[in-house]
Each structure stands twice: as C-alpha cells, then as structure tokens.
Amino acid sequence: MIKVRGLYKNFGALEVLKNINCDIEKGEVLCVIGPSGSGKSTFLRCINRLEEPTKGEIFIEGVLITDPKTDINAIRQKVGMVFQHFNLFPHKKVIENITLAPIKVKGLLPKTAEDIARDLLNRVGLADKGDSFPSQLSGGQQQRVAIARALAMSPDVMLFDEPTSALDPEMIKEVLDVMKQLAKDGMTMVVVTHEMGFAREVGDRVIFMDRGEIVEEGIPEDIFLNPQNPRTREFLGKIL
Ligand code: ADP
Ligand code: MG
C-alpha cells in the first residue's frame, strides 16, 4: 500500500532522514519508535506531503506522491493524520470539525456528512458530544474527535504521530482502545508511539529509528525481546 524508496529529508544542513526504505502492506499496523529528534515525525509528514522530501520516492497504492505534479489534496484524502496536539478548530462544534473537510474537499452534502460524522462519533464512543465545543471535552475525548475527523474522509491509511503523548495517563487507554478497534477493522496504520504495550499488542511490525535512519525492523516480539542492534537495545533499556 505504501512504498518508500531512498527517502532523504534535509532542513538546511541538517540531514533528518537518511535513505529510508520501507513497505507497508494493506491492513498492516506499523509502529515507529525511537528517541526524540530521530526523524519519526518528519517521516510521517513526508508520507502525506506535509514535508517535501529532499530526495527519494513514496508510492501510495502505486501512485508516486512525491511527484510535484501529484494533487496534494488527493493525497490528503487518502491519508488521514492524527497529531499529538489534536489540532481541532476551537471555535467550531465537534460535529462541524468532522464535517468541514468532507463538505469542502469531497463535496458531500451537509446532511450526508453529518450522518457520517454521527456514525463516527458513535464509533469513537462520543455519540452525545456532537454539539459540544472542543474546550468542553477532555484531552482524550478531543483526540477521539480528531480520529473521527480523520476517518470522515474515508482514508486508506491513517498516520498517528504520538497520539497519546499529550494526554493525562487515565485518558491514554480510551484513545488506544479506539486505535485498537480501528486496527481490528483492517485499517492500514502507521503509528509513532512511546506506548510499547500498544506496539507489542497491536503492531504487526516495529521500526526503530535513530538519527534519521531505520536502524532495526521486525515483528514486535523480536524487537522488544531480542533486539539485535546495540542502539535499539540502549533505547529500549532506557524506556522499558
Ligand atoms: P522526532 O519526531 O523523532 O522527535 P522530528 O522528525 O520531529 O523527530 O525531528 C527530527 C529533526 O529534524 C530534529 O533535529 C528537529 O529539530 C529537526 N526538524 C524538524 N522539523 C524541522 C523544521 N521544520 N525545520 C528545521 N528542523 C526541523
Ligand atoms: Mg515527533
């Protein structure tokens, strides 16, 4: 579903991604772990072209999205993204947050978009929050709205950038549970996370990134119980 070949990203003289190669299968949950500053967010942001790669190719369902001629809006429809800091529109109700892009970008009728939004709110356990404003919700609820908002575009892939890092501990589970269900339903997901429990339980595969490179990759069991690379071992030693 996603094919990354020889991906490089520089910010000025800083080489943030160095020759990233990676394949993500349809329905797969790929977890990306690694120290702060290792390039995890930049990698995700290249996949939906929030960042322009310096070099290399990314294909999504066979379409070369790194081609400057590719329609960025079309890519963003295929690829949903959830950020650490929810990024909801504060002055819009929950329901409007979810229906805005489907109406504007996909051209759905407001009624259709709203039906879909109510369905999605139900799915993330927030059926009664459609008319609330984001500020009236807890962090965990806001993040679930952000997930519903991304799903409203019916993406083929969902990217999550540390979706629980800004949450109080008691809210982490409700967000991870929604993600777990999404994975069960067959969504293709790339998840940058420090939640090693989630990576072990839900991840089909784990990538360890350090200093802009994929240092090690494998099934969760191997990465967590039997890491081969000293840098992976050192990182896991610090956090587990
Ligand atoms: P991670 O998500 O693993 O913490 P990032 O991808 O956010 O890492 O950042 C990797 C490196 O790129 C860091 O050194 C960061 O400071 C740098 N960086 C990220 N975005 C920019 C930017 N827009 N301009 C300059 N440097 C950036
Ligand atoms: Mg990051």
Side-chain angles (χ1 to χ4, degrees):
M1 168 147 278
I2 304 180
K3 195 159 96 176
V4 179
R5 290 292 177 272
L7 178 66
Y8 288 77
K9 176 65 185 177
N10 301 348
F11 289 111
L14 186 67
E15 255 197 335
V16 173
L17 296 177
K18 302 167 200 166
N19 193 25
I20 300 288
N21 293 285
C22 177
D23 290 293
I24 301 154
E25 306 292 328
K26 191 171 164 54
E28 186 177 29
V29 178
L30 176 70
C31 291
V32 182
I33 62 171
S36 178
S38 58
K40 304 180 300 295
S41 294
T42 305
F43 175 45
L44 276 198
R45 293 165 63 85
C46 283
I47 297 178
N48 72 350
R49 288 271 302 272
L50 282 173
E51 298 290 353
E52 293 295 326
T54 302
K55 204 169 93 182
E57 295 176 323
I58 301 174
F59 297 87
I60 299 181
E61 292 175 319
V63 177
L64 180 63
I65 63 133
T66 39
D67 185 335
K69 282 177 297 206
T70 305
D71 176 10
I72 292 196
N73 271 331
I75 299 166
R76 303 258 166 89
Q77 286 191 45
K78 276 178 186 261
V79 184
M81 182 137 177
V82 174
F83 302 88
Q84 185 176 348
H85 299 285
F86 339 129
N87 300 356
L88 299 174
F89 302 113
H91 55 287
K92 289 197 188 299
K93 288 180 177 179
V94 162
I95 197 83
E96 295 167 329
N97 264 278
I98 301 173
T99 55
L100 192 72
I103 293 170
K104 279 209 161 165
V105 181
K106 281 190 133 182
L108 293 192
L109 293 171
K111 174 76 174 75
T112 312
E114 188 168 331
D115 287 347
I116 294 171
R118 301 253 175 227
D119 232 38
L120 287 167
L121 278 176
N122 198 16
R123 200 162 146 196
V124 301
L126 296 171
D128 55 341
K129 297 296 183 195
D131 295 313
S132 303
F133 285 92
S135 60
Q136 298 171 309
L137 305 182
S138 72
Q141 290 172 328
Q142 289 187 55
Q143 190 60 299
R144 285 184 280 149
V145 171
I147 293 172
R149 179 177 61 175
L151 290 173
M153 297 297 281
S154 17
D156 298 329
V157 183
M158 287 279 284
L159 310 177
F160 293 86
D161 194 357
E162 298 194 28
T164 59
S165 294
L167 297 178
D168 292 333
E170 73 271 21
M171 293 170 189
I172 291 177
K173 185 172 179 296
E174 67 192 45
V175 171
L176 293 179
D177 282 348
V178 166
M179 294 168 63
K180 209 185 286 182
Q181 188 57 47
L182 200 55
K184 261 193 201 150
D185 294 341
M187 179 60 78
T188 308
M189 296 164 57
V190 185
V191 185
V192 175
T193 188
H194 295 294
E195 293 296 329
M196 298 302 143
F198 177 87
R200 284 178 72 159
E201 189 188 336
V202 184
D204 295 305
R205 203 149 47 94
V206 175
I207 280 180
F208 170 66
M209 283 182 71
D210 191 20
R211 292 176 236 157
E213 296 171 306
I214 295 179
V215 171
E216 188 162 352
E217 118 174 49
I219 60 171
E221 203 172 311
D222 288 344
I223 297 284
F224 291 117
L225 300 181
N226 191 19
Q228 298 300 305
N229 191 288
R231 280 149 78 182
T232 319
R233 272 188 224 139
E234 193 199 338
F235 174 73
L236 292 174
K238 279 183 196 155
I239 61 160
L240 288 182

